[in-house]
Amino acid sequence: MSEKKYVYSFGGGEADGDTTLKNLLGGKGSNLAEMANIGVPVPAGFTITTEVCTYYYDHGKTYPPELDEQMKAGIKKIEKVMDARFGDAENPLLVSVRSGARVSMPGMMDTVLNLGLNDETVQGLIKKTNNPRFGYDSYRRFIQMYSNVVCGLDNEVMESELERMKEEKGVEVDTDLDENDLKKLVQKFKDIYKEKFGEPFPTDPWEQLKGSIGAVFGSWMNNRAMVYRRLHGIPHSWGTAVNVQAMVYGNMGESSATGVAFTRDPSTGEKKYYGEWLVNAQGEDVVAGIRTPHPLNDYTESKTQTGLSTLQVEMPEVFKELCDNFEKLEQHYKEMQDIEFTIQEGTLWLLQTRTGKRTAAAAVRIAVEMEKEELIDKKTAVLRVDPKQVDQLLHPMIDPKFKKEVVAKGLPASPGAAVGRVVFTAEEAVEMASKGEPVILTRIETSPEDIEGMHSAKGILTSRGGMTSHAAVVARGMGKCCIAGAGDVTINYKDEQFKIKGTDHVVKKGDFISLDGTTGELLLGKADTIEPELSGTFADLMVWADEFRNMGVRTNADTPDDAKKALEFGAEGIGLCRTEHMFFAEERILAVRQMIVSDTQEEREKALAKILPMQQEDFEGIFEAMAGYPVTIRLLDPPLHEFVPHEDKQIEDLARSLDMDFKELKSKIEGLSEMNPMLGHRGCRLGITYPEITRMQARAIMQAACTLAQKDIDVLPEIMVPLIGGVEEFNNQKKIIVEEAEEIMKEYGVNVKYMVGTMIEVPRAAITADRVAQSAEFFSFGTNDLTQMTMGFSRDDAGRFLPQYVERGFYPEDPFQSIDIEGVGEMVEIGLRRGRSTSEDLKVGICGEHGGDPKSVEFCHKIDMNYVSCSPFRVPIARLAAAQAAVKTLKKNRPHL
Amino acid sequence: MSEKKYVYSFGGGEADGDTTLKNLLGGKGSNLAEMANIGVPVPAGFTITTEVCTYYYDHGKTYPPELDEQMKAGIKKIEKVMDARFGDAENPLLVSVRSGARVSMPGMMDTVLNLGLNDETVQGLIKKTNNPRFGYDSYRRFIQMYSNVVCGLDNEVMESELERMKEEKGVEVDTDLDENDLKKLVQKFKDIYKEKFGEPFPTDPWEQLKGSIGAVFGSWMNNRAMVYRRLHGIPHSWGTAVNVQAMVYGNMGESSATGVAFTRDPSTGEKKYYGEWLVNAQGEDVVAGIRTPHPLNDYTESKTQTGLSTLQVEMPEVFKELCDNFEKLEQHYKEMQDIEFTIQEGTLWLLQTRTGKRTAAAAVRIAVEMEKEELIDKKTAVLRVDPKQVDQLLHPMIDPKFKKEVVAKGLPASPGAAVGRVVFTAEEAVEMASKGEPVILTRIETSPEDIEGMHSAKGILTSRGGMTSHAAVVARGMGKCCIAGAGDVTINYKDEQFKIKGTDHVVKKGDFISLDGTTGELLLGKADTIEPELSGTFADLMVWADEFRNMGVRTNADTPDDAKKALEFGAEGIGLCRTEHMFFAEERILAVRQMIVSDTQEEREKALAKILPMQQEDFEGIFEAMAGYPVTIRLLDPPLHEFVPHEDKQIEDLARSLDMDFKELKSKIEGLSEMNPMLGHRGCRLGITYPEITRMQARAIMQAACTLAQKDIDVLPEIMVPLIGGVEEFNNQKKIIVEEAEEIMKEYGVNVKYMVGTMIEVPRAAITADRVAQSAEFFSFGTNDLTQMTMGFSRDDAGRFLPQYVERGFYPEDPFQSIDIEGVGEMVEIGLRRGRSTSEDLKVGICGEHGGDPKSVEFCHKIDMNYVSCSPFRVPIARLAAAQAAVKTLKKNRPHL
């Protein structure tokens, strides 16, 4: 029997291991082996297996006896590939020592670089790089790192010496220290080491190496790493591997260089190499920005226009080798790669390769083109695009070439870009827009009364409110650019202007401004924008997504325009049509208000009779736009006080319009106020106390449906009762709806297939869903309110603590943006399961803001919802997310395929 | 084989059936048989079995052939016992025909009385009663009833004839019609009958009888009865029995009489017969109040002081027989009986016996004395007292002898009686009370700032707010009499007076008023009150209750006084001590406010340092009062804006006290306001954003505990974190608490057994309780908030629809008073089960208002809670309710014992 293998070498176009040995070699070690195996020139090295770690802890922190010999053989192989010698003063081989567990534990464990340096070998390094400052800096860093990582010296001890040196020299940054300073520092560090540990700093590279390996194994059990593993469920028994790898240097003269490159253009996705490089430089010089990096090739130069020389021209041979490696890596990893490379004295080394980050447009193009190149299949292509990124593609954006001058920042409440003239009231917005002027509605906060103005505006800017403020939510729903809560914008309604705190800028009504809703940036004047394109590769991708997706995607839309937009985006029906948004139109609000302040049912019915034909007309428009698709209409939901004015002047106006006494009207309006409007008299509670409202709405819906049905237009109304707490409330409302529906169908002499269902948004409704489902024909989870009630905070008030909660990790994300799976999600699942326990085929959807959030969509898929519904602009996102969920679940359900 | 028995006779000291034949004879029939069997003189009769009903519906509404003969035999037996003959003109036997199903279906089915009357027999009745008016009135009633019940004639038809007759005579009430009028009416009714049905009104008693029996069987399938059965889950197949029973009359001269009696005094429970009677009268005369009823016996006379003659004296023989029957019935039913009797020509008949209603005091005394008489066992005694009634015994009450003049009514928000001088502000209440004056705090509404005033007052009167308004909840907590929402009381703070709407009463500051919180009645001046007594039989009963009870009962108490009161009432610890109530004391509120308006942590800590010693002192007092018992202390819960003033004048005062700028302070206070304070920045959210508050409170608690522990006083603090939504928030707070606790115990050199647990009041906490229980050492369900969040309405706002919801049966009771078992209860059970799934022995309690509601207590017992906690005055109620739940469950769990 041969001796046990503890050391796996890699480099020189071959390797002892490969990615199948991940458990033994760790993530990093097996990847390096894989790269070496496919012929990528990685700096040579070896991996000490995780079994050594286990042995180490099982045997009182000692090593297997065979290890020493195997390591020596490993070093020999490195020396051969790298053509350098460990501890040699002329041509020293320097190495790095890094941990590498099965799964990545970023920042948890220790690393030692430039190992092998001592007073002699540093001279070799200096000679090779012709850079004494670099040599001594590398040396002092090595001593500092070693003392800290291997010997446990507080990093501050040596760091403060460095600081003292800078003070003495009167310089600010490390780079201002010269060769001699650093040489002195090396001596100082060695003195400190001797003083602290009673012996000189080890000069023997072998001693340095063993010490470092021990330190890495030791760091597996440090506190930080143990906590991390406990949090992430990683067993301590896995152990870590240790990677010892040759250091390479791009600063060894004019035939050395360093660079980064992408195998495809990360901005556009075009299949062209894109990258930057610097001759005689280290990797950090490329990113540090002191020297302007050169373009990698002609393509990069065509994009960046630097006028500087390319690697393609300067080192054509190496460039060709680099390109060959790009091909190899893409073919192997079947993904666009982001590569770090170093050229050391004419020899190319690839230090790292990883999946490259890219823009949304690039992500789509790369995924689709790779499928066409037969690199990946359609499912993989669909999984390759982050649905959240897709949002970028659906809105106009500030032209990346435009030079932005940002004067203030707010929350990126609704993405896109908008350019227009400032107005301060909804009325002005409507008026100016009607004249064809683009406007930006600028308000401290918005309220439901501003809806029409928001519709007319190109964008919305508020100085107060969060990501879930009225402005933010409504703007997202409209797919309209919005910056919310720009605290530095000080609005003065009286003078019709705003100032920017801390600046002299004064923006007057009529001035042009530009909003970047994707970043939250406010610009003065007119910015250049570019329009989105939904054709080409994006269209291909969406077709594939729809092939895999098995959950429906509907939209939340309140107008025929929204409905049409959503259809373009691929919506398969309306999941939420909010009837109250129709109430705010100028010619209607008076009748609505009259209804609200009525004293008797008779008066209310009179006012409702005025609203009926208008609502019917709305529904006709929406049904017609959505012909053939289901349309879920929610009955009146908000508390009545949202519809009436609250300022004396407006109340006076209303009193005049309604021919009422001001005082009486004011007292009525005050009587409507509530301590906790979220938990007040709204939703079906209104329909229960005022059945005539439900009756009017049911009538408007069914008259509209019957009118279209008479014209042979296919209508599928789904009437939805909001805010029920149990089946009793639902039944009360259903009875009214069915009575009206049956009567109207008889009147019109047509039959319309309608359904009556309910929102599930009160926890009690979810808890008692088995009974609710005895009577409700569909469920739609209203996860906005369900989140508020389940978690016990209102989104209006949560601003004081919720950001902290997310920051501290109490919740992984803002629960109003991505569903809180553990709490609210569980409540949804309880509701769904209990509902289906009574009614097996119950149609279940979601219509909260979460319907457009990819993670939430995946959750909905997992628990078997029939559809999600979201604002029109989020429909493509939801489609993609649903497709991904389907593909992933399929994989999960059939692990052997 | 003998023929099938369809008719079961009873009367004359014997009966064919008994209560074991309930399914066959129905409830009423089997009871009548039972009474006859034990020798009680019930008017004779027979029961036609439920099988006949089934036969009737199975055979096309026909009867078994044997029935006719058996009925004839039945009538014969009746004639014999009653010494009268069916259809006889001289001595007619009249009967009633009534339905009687297995279970009572009150008012659902039909009854015919005085059956057997016709033009001849009515003369016999007149002769016997010597009362022609009575004879004709009985006759016209019979025709009316028969026409309606048997023939389906709309009752209005004959009723309108009666109305017309009254109009003609110019009289208001039926009793003003004389013999001749009624005689005419009889004729009129007979004419109507003939006209409607084409044949004369049936004069043959047999025909009348068969018709009536058919009508009763027919009514089993009437719509009303079918709906009732569907609602109550009663199968249609059960059918009903029919009872035919002799009518008896107490108005047949001076040897006839009628009366009602209790076998024990229903007011006091004393083992004395108590009743009223009238000679030569019908049952309805006793209750109608036209003639003053006579006392049954000396005992009754001693209580009522009428000066009228007793049955004991007037008819000693019959009285003795009656008493014998009382004994028989009590021995048989083992319960105090409420008996209706009639003496017809010297012969005693018992018409009905049922369990007698009684006062709380009587209920307790009767239950305990019956146990001592060995009539019932202890378990039965414990079950005999309605815990809700016990409330009456724990508060002072208006002396029943006091002649109340009620000037207004409000909600009976907190029981008891209070007499005192009117004051309109909390400050005045404190001041006047400190001078020893009893005061009634009179406010439009109360707020937390009024707490001290409420404490000082004898009672609280508000003109606005419901059963769960601040005033009501706090008053109940304090066990203080309160009338809430007395809408007719118009308070004018400026003039320091209130008026009573619709009257001339003006009550000025300093005037005496009296409140009856049990009825909601407001009286002017000083009423006489009597104090409660908790000794004697009540004490016995509570000892027995505690023997059976296996759930703990704690109290919600914020002061040592409350704690002591609760201990007297039998509390076994504190389940909820609200630390914030301590913040309102005059000398503290300033420091609290200073803390709230602080800008920096440092400033806050400075203010908190002032509060620390005061809180510590509070806790010392409470721990000392509760020595040996656990004390659960909830950390700061309400939103901070509840602690600061909101009116300009008060803000000015505060600004002066804090040496702050008014405008700055006002803007800070405004900044604290929230859209939905219920769902806002409160509970542990405060402790998370301001950890220094939690730190101070933990310190105050543990310093208090350690101080007492040093004196060898047994302290068991349980520190409770409010309003968590998940384990992460809890852990954040627990860490702070444990750090402080460990440090303080080290400082003091003592060890205190403390626990750290949490309220479960946010639905998400219940849903994720398995994870919460990994870290929380106990759960206490805060069902007030849990109800609000689970049902989605705030108790402040629910007034607009909740009363309607309860009225319509959406919820069986106000869910803030009795836990909504289906929804909120289910949520509690989910939380408890999930918590115990992680931590099997997790201590679980409830501390919402529901902890003192008997139905809710029973629910808590069923789901295996460890304890309930309620306000001190509800502790005995909870103890009794818990005992009953234990006894009932035991019975339920072991059905064969």
Side-chain angles (χ1 to χ4, degrees), chain A residues 689 764 771 804 820 822, chain B residues 689 764 771 804 820 822:
Chain A
T689 40
R764 191 180 190 275
R771 291 190 57 228
Q804 274 188 62
D820 159 46
E822 192 187 345
Chain B
T689 40
R764 191 180 189 275
R771 291 190 58 226
Q804 274 189 63
D820 159 46
E822 192 188 343

Side-chain angles (χ1 to χ4, degrees), chain A residues 553-819:
Chain A
V553 175
R554 298 195 191 180
T555 191
N556 301 348
D558 309 339
T559 65
D561 283 351
D562 283 353
K564 280 175 206 151
K565 188 90 206 157
L567 280 175
E568 281 169 31
F569 282 144
E572 299 156 315
I574 290 181
L576 177 63
C577 173
R578 284 157 293 214
T579 52
E580 60 271 15
H581 283 185
M582 307 171 181
F583 280 16
F584 283 101
E586 210 176 335
E587 67 278 16
R588 301 172 179 193
I589 189 70
L590 192 67
V592 173
R593 288 170 175 170
Q594 193 172 5
M595 185 267 288
I596 291 170
V597 301
S598 293
D599 273 324
T600 65
Q601 182 173 336
E602 206 189 332
E603 274 174 53
R604 254 191 312 278
E605 279 171 351
K606 230 191 246 168
L608 286 165
K610 289 186 208 162
I611 305 171
L612 173 63
M614 308 183 202
Q615 282 243 306
Q616 181 177 337
E617 203 189 316
D618 290 332
F619 294 135
E620 284 178 24
I622 288 171
F623 285 145
E624 197 160 0
M626 274 284 162
Y629 288 114
V631 175
T632 309
I633 297 168
R634 179 178 74 183
L635 301 181
L636 189 67
D637 185 55
L640 298 181
H641 48 76
E642 283 198 9
F643 296 98
V644 291
H646 292 95
E647 277 162 38
D648 277 4
K649 213 197 130 313
Q650 294 169 292
I651 297 175
E652 265 170 39
D653 290 348
L654 181 60
R656 245 191 316 277
S657 305
L658 295 178
D659 199 17
M660 275 181 76
D661 178 56
F662 166 74
K663 266 179 122 178
E664 190 196 336
L665 180 59
K666 184 166 175 174
S667 119
K668 265 190 192 162
I669 285 175
E670 279 171 355
L672 291 171
S673 81
E674 299 186 301
M675 293 279 284
N676 296 285
M678 242 302 298
L679 303 176
H681 192 200
R682 63 186 199 94
C684 70
R685 296 162 193 168
L686 293 170
I688 287 166
T689 40
Y690 308 121
E692 53 277 14
I693 298 180
T694 303
R695 211 170 276 286
M696 179 281 282
Q697 291 204 298
R699 188 159 271 272
I701 294 166
M702 289 306 292
Q703 288 184 173
C706 290
T707 302
L708 295 199
Q710 284 179 331
K711 299 185 206 160
D712 275 334
I713 294 171
D714 193 10
V715 280
L716 296 163
E718 301 181 343
I719 303 175
M720 181 156 75
V721 180
L723 210 76
I724 66 152
V727 71
E728 291 79 7
E729 289 159 275
F730 178 75
N731 284 340
N732 172 294
Q733 294 289 287
K734 182 179 177 181
K735 184 162 169 286
I736 297 171
I737 296 164
V738 170
E739 275 169 17
E740 289 299 319
E742 299 301 321
E743 195 182 311
I744 291 160
M745 291 194 298
K746 216 183 281 168
E747 263 174 43
Y748 280 72
V750 289
N751 212 21
V752 169
K753 217 186 128 217
Y754 72 99
M755 295 174 90
V756 188
T758 187
M759 295 272 278
I760 304 286
E761 54 190 330
V762 172
R764 191 180 190 275
I767 290 285
T768 64
D770 46 341
R771 291 190 57 228
V772 176
Q774 287 168 359
S775 177
E777 293 171 285
F778 63 87
F779 280 5
S780 177
F781 283 90
T783 49
N784 292 358
D785 277 4
L786 191 61
T787 297
Q788 301 193 77
M789 295 182 202
T790 302
M791 305 187 102
F793 43 71
S794 98
R795 59 182 187 188
D796 296 312
D797 303 312
R800 275 169 227 232
F801 52 90
L802 191 54
Q804 274 188 62
Y805 272 37
V806 177
E807 210 171 281
R808 287 173 200 233
F810 292 179
Y811 306 123
E813 288 184 63
D814 179 340
F816 291 115
Q817 302 206 16
S818 193
I819 197 165

Side-chain angles (χ1 to χ4, degrees), chain B residues 630-843:
Chain B
V631 175
T632 309
I633 297 168
R634 179 178 72 183
L635 301 181
L636 188 66
D637 186 54
L640 298 181
H641 49 77
E642 283 197 10
F643 297 97
V644 291
H646 291 95
E647 277 162 38
D648 277 3
K649 212 196 132 315
Q650 293 167 294
I651 296 175
E652 265 169 38
D653 290 348
L654 181 59
R656 245 191 315 280
S657 305
L658 295 179
D659 199 17
M660 274 180 78
D661 177 57
F662 166 74
K663 267 178 121 178
E664 190 197 335
L665 180 60
K666 185 165 174 174
S667 117
K668 265 191 191 160
I669 286 175
E670 281 172 355
L672 290 171
S673 83
E674 298 185 302
M675 292 280 284
N676 295 285
M678 244 298 299
L679 303 176
H681 194 198
R682 64 189 198 91
C684 71
R685 297 163 193 169
L686 293 171
I688 286 166
T689 40
Y690 307 120
E692 54 275 13
I693 298 180
T694 303
R695 211 169 276 287
M696 180 282 282
Q697 291 203 300
R699 188 158 272 273
I701 294 165
M702 290 306 293
Q703 287 184 174
C706 289
T707 303
L708 296 198
Q710 283 177 332
K711 298 185 205 160
D712 275 335
I713 295 171
D714 193 9
V715 279
L716 296 162
E718 300 181 344
I719 303 175
M720 181 156 75
V721 180
L723 210 75
I724 66 151
V727 71
E728 290 80 6
E729 287 159 277
F730 178 74
N731 283 341
N732 171 293
Q733 295 289 286
K734 184 179 177 181
K735 184 163 169 285
I736 297 172
I737 296 163
V738 170
E739 274 170 15
E740 289 299 317
E742 298 302 321
E743 192 182 313
I744 290 161
M745 291 194 298
K746 215 183 282 171
E747 263 174 43
Y748 281 72
V750 290
N751 211 20
V752 169
K753 218 186 127 216
Y754 72 99
M755 294 174 91
V756 188
T758 186
M759 297 272 277
I760 303 286
E761 53 190 331
V762 172
R764 191 180 189 275
I767 291 286
T768 63
D770 46 343
R771 291 190 58 226
V772 176
Q774 287 169 358
S775 178
E777 294 171 287
F778 62 87
F779 280 4
S780 177
F781 283 89
T783 50
N784 292 358
D785 278 4
L786 191 61
T787 296
Q788 302 194 76
M789 295 184 204
T790 301
M791 306 188 99
F793 43 71
S794 100
R795 59 184 187 188
D796 296 309
D797 303 312
R800 276 171 226 231
F801 52 89
L802 192 54
Q804 274 189 63
Y805 272 37
V806 177
E807 210 171 277
R808 286 172 201 233
F810 292 179
Y811 306 123
E813 286 186 64
D814 179 340
F816 291 115
Q817 302 205 18
S818 194
I819 198 164
D820 159 46
I821 291 176
E822 192 188 343
V824 180
E826 173 74 8
M827 190 73 89
V828 169
E829 193 167 353
I830 287 173
L832 181 140
R833 298 270 166 264
R834 293 188 176 188
R836 293 243 174 98
S837 78
T838 304
S839 171
E840 210 181 325
D841 297 324
L842 186 72
K843 177 147 76 168

Side-chain angles (χ1 to χ4, degrees), chain B residues 250-553:
Chain B
N251 56 348
M252 287 190 174
E254 291 308 306
S255 65
S256 296
T258 191
V260 294
F262 294 87
T263 57
R264 307 198 181 207
D265 185 333
S267 292
T268 65
E270 207 173 337
K271 188 167 165 40
K272 299 280 189 188
Y273 308 132
Y274 183 99
E276 295 176 329
W277 72 296
L278 275 173
V279 74
N280 195 17
Q282 278 195 289
E284 55 201 66
D285 299 333
V286 180
V287 288
I290 299 165
R291 291 166 60 188
T292 306
H294 288 224
L296 184 74
N297 53 0
D298 294 350
Y299 178 78
T300 308
E301 175 59 11
S302 77
K303 294 285 174 178
T304 54
Q305 312 272 346
T306 60
L308 299 171
S309 61
T310 65
L311 185 71
Q312 194 171 15
V313 168
E314 295 291 325
M315 301 186 186
E317 299 270 302
V318 178
F319 179 74
K320 200 186 157 301
E321 195 189 343
L322 188 59
C323 294
D324 291 346
N325 279 295
F326 288 168
E327 281 313 295
K328 242 181 240 170
L329 287 168
E330 259 207 5
Q331 288 294 328
H332 186 71
Y333 290 107
K334 301 180 189 312
E335 244 296 27
M336 185 265 258
Q337 297 295 302
D338 169 359
I339 292 155
E340 286 177 29
F341 64 90
T342 284
I343 301 162
Q344 179 175 299
E345 298 182 307
T347 306
L348 174 69
W349 301 104
L350 264 57
L351 303 185
Q352 178 164 282
T353 185
R354 57 185 169 191
T355 299
K357 294 212 185 309
R358 63 206 79 179
T359 64
V364 171
R365 179 164 178 177
I366 291 169
V368 172
E369 289 188 353
M370 280 193 171
E371 193 276 343
K372 298 206 163 147
E373 294 160 22
E374 293 181 4
L375 258 185
I376 57 177
D377 62 10
K378 285 182 186 173
K379 279 184 190 168
T380 309
V382 163
L383 288 176
R384 280 286 166 83
V385 179
D386 179 357
K388 278 198 168 165
Q389 268 193 317
V390 168
D391 209 16
Q392 288 176 26
L393 301 177
L394 307 174
H395 300 277
M397 52 188 235
I398 304 266
D399 189 335
K401 292 193 199 100
F402 180 77
K403 207 168 160 291
K404 295 200 270 191
E405 208 190 318
V406 179
V407 295
K409 275 203 80 168
L411 297 169
S414 181
V419 178
R421 292 183 189 276
V422 170
V423 294
F424 292 101
T425 69
E427 292 73 36
E428 284 167 347
V430 173
E431 196 197 321
M432 222 154 163
S434 71
K435 293 177 192 152
E437 283 283 358
V439 298
I440 305 288
L441 179 59
T442 306
R443 304 275 308 158
I444 296 172
E445 286 175 309
T446 63
S447 74
E449 295 173 39
D450 297 323
I451 295 274
E452 270 210 294
M454 294 172 78
H455 248 300
S456 303
K458 293 284 175 198
I460 294 117
L461 169 65
T462 69
S463 60
R464 199 151 67 195
M467 288 297 283
T468 53
S469 61
H470 179 264
V473 172
V474 174
R476 280 199 296 277
M478 293 177 176
K480 194 147 287 192
C481 167
C482 173
I483 298 177
D488 284 347
V489 171
T490 315
I491 298 176
N492 186 329
Y493 286 137
K494 223 182 85 215
D495 300 346
E496 300 193 311
Q497 63 180 35
F498 69 79
K499 292 184 180 170
I500 309 283
K501 253 182 225 163
T503 75
D504 298 334
H505 295 300
V506 178
V507 178
K508 292 207 163 67
K509 185 170 100 169
D511 289 355
F512 267 100
I513 61 172
S514 304
L515 311 182
D516 186 337
T518 311
T519 60
E521 292 165 331
L522 168 65
L523 321 176
L524 300 187
K526 293 182 182 185
D528 300 339
T529 61
I530 51 178
E531 285 300 305
E533 242 184 286
L534 297 186
S535 51
T537 51
F538 182 72
D540 289 344
L541 188 77
M542 293 312 292
V543 168
W544 300 344
D546 288 346
E547 279 171 25
F548 300 127
R549 170 166 70 89
N550 43 35
M551 193 165 52
V553 175

Side-chain angles (χ1 to χ4, degrees), chain A residues 51 142 233-234 281 464 529 585 590 629 690 710 746 869-870 877:
Chain A
E51 287 178 350
F142 168 59
I234 303 169
R464 200 149 67 195
T529 60
L590 192 67
Y629 288 114
Y690 308 121
Q710 284 179 331
K746 216 183 281 168
S869 187
C870 56
I877 300 172

Side-chain angles (χ1 to χ4, degrees), chain B residues 873-895:
Chain B
F873 279 83
R874 299 212 139 232
V875 166
I877 299 170
R879 283 162 70 197
L880 184 56
Q884 292 188 350
V887 170
K888 283 188 211 161
T889 319
L890 201 66
K891 279 189 177 157
K892 208 173 158 192
N893 290 352
R894 303 182 188 178

